Amino acid sequence: MTYQSHYFTEVRNAQANAYAPYSNFKVGAYLRTKDGKTYYGANVENAAYPMSICAERSSLVAAIADGYRPGDFESITVTVDADEPSSPCGSCRQVMKELCDDDMPVYMTNHHGDMIASTVNELLPLGFSGKDLN
Amino acid sequence: MTYQSHYFTEVRNAQANAYAPYSNFKVGAYLRTKDGKTYYGANVENAAYPMSICAERSSLVAAIADGYRPGDFESITVTVDADEPSSPCGSCRQVMKELCDDDMPVYMTNHHGDMIASTVNELLPLGFSGKDLN
Amino acid sequence: MTYQSHYFTEVRNAQANAYAPYSNFKVGAYLRTKDGKTYYGANVENAAYPMSICAERSSLVAAIADGYRPGDFESITVTVDADEPSSPCGSCRQVMKELCDDDMPVYMTNHHGDMIASTVNELLPLGFSGKDLN
Amino acid sequence: MTYQSHYFTEVRNAQANAYAPYSNFKVGAYLRTKDGKTYYGANVENAAYPMSICAERSSLVAAIADGYRPGDFESITVTVDADEPSSPCGSCRQVMKELCDDDMPVYMTNHHGDMIASTVNELLPLGFSGKDLN
C-alpha cells in the first residue's frame, strides 16, 4: 500500500497511449489489483468533448470488463505533463467511489517525478454512493 | 451567504419536475445568482444511463445558457428523498469547480428538512481546473 | 412543423451565451414546445472535457426542469460557426430519443444561414430506448 | 468483415463481466482489431447514473489504452438479454465515429442468437466529427 518507484515508469508507459488530439493534454493511469495484476489507462478524447473518457476510468473499466469486481483494487497512479501533479476530475473520483475501497491510495504524479498521495475518501468527501439510493 | 428557510421550499418545487423513471430517485436543485435570480434544476434520466443529467448541473447549465458567467453564483441547494441529505456526485462537483467560486456554499437537504452545509472547495479538494491544462 | 426564418435569429442569440473556452467552438440551440414556449441552449465546457454539456441537451434539460415532459416539444434548431451546419453529437441524439417524438424536426444551421432538416429518428436509426430495458 | 459464429460466444463471455447493479441490464461487447487482437467490454454502472459507462466504449477505450489507434478496428459485436438485439446508445455511436472506420461493421445480438448487422455510418448518419471543429 506504499508508492513504489516503478509505478512512475508504468504510468508513464500508460500515458504514452493517450489519444488527446483536442486538448493535447495526455493523461496516464496505472491501476493495480490486490492480487497483483495491472491495467493501463489513458484519456481517449472525442470531437464531441463530453464523450471523452479519462485515464483513470479507462483503467478501472478495463479491469471490470476483465472480471475484477468492486473492492479488488490496491492503488491507482495518475500522471500528467504539468508543473503540478493533476488530480482526478470529479467523474473519476465518483467512479473510484463506486469501485474502490474508500481508503485506497490515489497517487498523483507529473513528468518531473513529483508525487502527491491521497485516498478515494479524501478526494470525494461526503461521497454519493449506492447507499444514498435506497 | 446563509441558508434561508425558503430555499427549502424552492428546492422542493424544483424537485417536483424531476424526470427519473429509471431510478425513481428524484433530485431537485435551486441555484441563486449573486444578483438575485434563481434557476431550478432537476435530474433528467435516460434509458441509456450515462446520458442522464443531474439536478445540480441542470440548474447551472440553464443559468449559463441564459447568459450568466462563471463566478456569478451565490449558492446552490440540493434535495432528495432520503434519510440523509445526499451530496452532489463527482461530475456535479467538477461542474461547480468550473463555474462557481471555490467558497460558494452548497446546501444539501432532504425531505425531512435536514441540512448539511459545505462549499465547492470542501467537496472537491485538490480540484482539477483549467489551470491544470496550461 | 416547418422551419421559420426567425428561428435562425433566436438560435444565434442562444449561441451568444455559449461558454466554450477550451474548444472555442460555440454552439447554440433553440427549443420550442408544442404550446409555444421557447428555451435557449448553449454548450457549457469544462476543463475536464467529459463534464462538458452540449447546447441541445442544455435546452432540453432546462425545459424538463421547468416542468415540460417527454413529447411536449415541437422542434429544435442548432447553430454553429462552420462552413457546413454541424449535426448533434450522439449523446444529444440519445437525449432527444428519450424526450422528443421520433418525428420531431431537428434543424441544423450555420452562420451563413445554411439549413439542413432532419428528424430524431433519422439521426438515431434503430435508437436505443426504455423499451429495450424491459 | 463477416459475422462469425464464434463472435457470439465471445461477446457472451464479455457480457458475464458486466457490473450492472442498478439496471440489472447486462451488456457485453467484443471488439476485434484488424491485426486480430480482441478486447472485451462490459457496462460498468454507477450509483450516480451519468457516470456509468457502456460496454461498447469499455472495449474501445481498453484497446486505445493498450496502444491501438483510430482506424485499427475490424468489427464490434454487442449483446444483451432482450427479445430484440439492442443497438448502441448515442454516446457509443459517437465514440465509434471518432475511433472506427465509417463502414466498420457493428453486430447487434441477443441471448436468443438473433443478429442485426449495421455500420458506424448507418448508425450515426450526418455524424459529428473532428472535421466539424475546424
Side-chain angles (χ1 to χ4, degrees), chain D residues 92-128:
Chain D
C92 286
R93 296 177 191 203
Q94 184 70 49
V95 172
M96 291 177 195
K97 177 75 183 173
E98 181 81 30
L99 303 176
C100 306
D101 298 335
D102 277 351
D103 62 351
M104 189 191 82
V106 180
Y107 301 116
M108 298 164 264
T109 71
N110 68 1
H111 60 312
H112 298 311
D114 301 322
M115 194 272 283
I116 298 172
S118 188
T119 66
V120 172
N121 211 38
E122 284 173 0
L123 292 174
L124 200 75
L126 295 172
F128 183 84

Side-chain angles (χ1 to χ4, degrees), chain C residues 25 82 86-87 89-91 93-94 108 122-128 132-133, chain D residues 25 82 86-87 89-91 93-94 108 122-128 132-133:
Chain C
F25 187 73
S86 288
S87 65
C89 79
S91 277
R93 297 177 191 203
Q94 184 69 48
M108 298 163 266
E122 284 173 1
L123 291 174
L124 200 75
L126 296 173
F128 183 83
D132 295 297
L133 286 178
Chain D
F25 187 72
S86 289
S87 64
C89 79
S91 278
R93 296 177 191 203
Q94 184 70 49
M108 298 164 264
E122 284 173 0
L123 292 174
L124 200 75
L126 295 172
F128 183 84
D132 294 297
L133 286 178

Side-chain angles (χ1 to χ4, degrees), chain D residues 3-17:
Chain D
Y3 184 72
Q4 304 290 327
S5 57
H6 80 272
Y7 292 9
F8 184 72
T9 308
E10 293 279 10
V11 77
R12 298 299 293 179
N13 288 341
Q15 184 195 25
N17 290 336

